[in-house]
Amino acid sequence: MVSTELRSRNLITNYLLKAEFNFTFDENGVISISDFEGSEDTKDILEKSLFRLNERIKGGKYKIIPAKNNEGKFIKTTIKVPFQYAFVRS
């Protein structure tokens, strides 16, 4: 999704994204970002990429099964991610 977003911007140069953030799965498998550390441009790219991914999840193309406890109740799951992505134009 990040590559798709960067291609849609018609970048001429190579691009390096670096960030650290938490992402959370809700009870429907939808993903959100919180506690973002990185540039505003990187945050914008990742949020738009995440929007595309969530649209695919909602449309049934991808399926994320949220964590549940022994009683079958949803467990909010948050994962901290150090993120680095190099986009090389050829």
Side-chain angles (χ1 to χ4, degrees), residues 11-78:
L11 297 173
I12 298 169
T13 61
N14 297 336
Y15 212 84
L16 177 65
L17 302 175
K18 290 177 92 173
E20 190 167 294
F21 56 89
N22 292 343
F23 67 91
T24 303
F25 298 98
D26 73 10
E27 60 272 5
N28 299 311
V30 174
I31 307 166
S32 60
I33 293 176
S34 63
D35 299 325
F36 187 89
E37 294 176 27
S39 72
E40 285 300 314
D41 190 44
T42 298
K43 184 176 183 181
D44 181 58
I45 290 166
L46 291 175
E47 284 177 341
K48 287 180 178 168
S49 300
L50 186 61
F51 175 79
R52 289 175 191 227
L53 177 60
N54 281 330
E55 288 299 304
R56 289 181 176 209
I57 291 167
K58 290 175 189 173
K61 184 159 185 162
Y62 298 122
K63 182 166 179 98
I64 293 178
I65 301 170
K68 295 183 179 179
N69 64 16
N70 292 337
E71 290 82 40
K73 298 201 185 237
F74 165 71
I75 300 171
K76 184 176 179 181
T77 305
T78 301

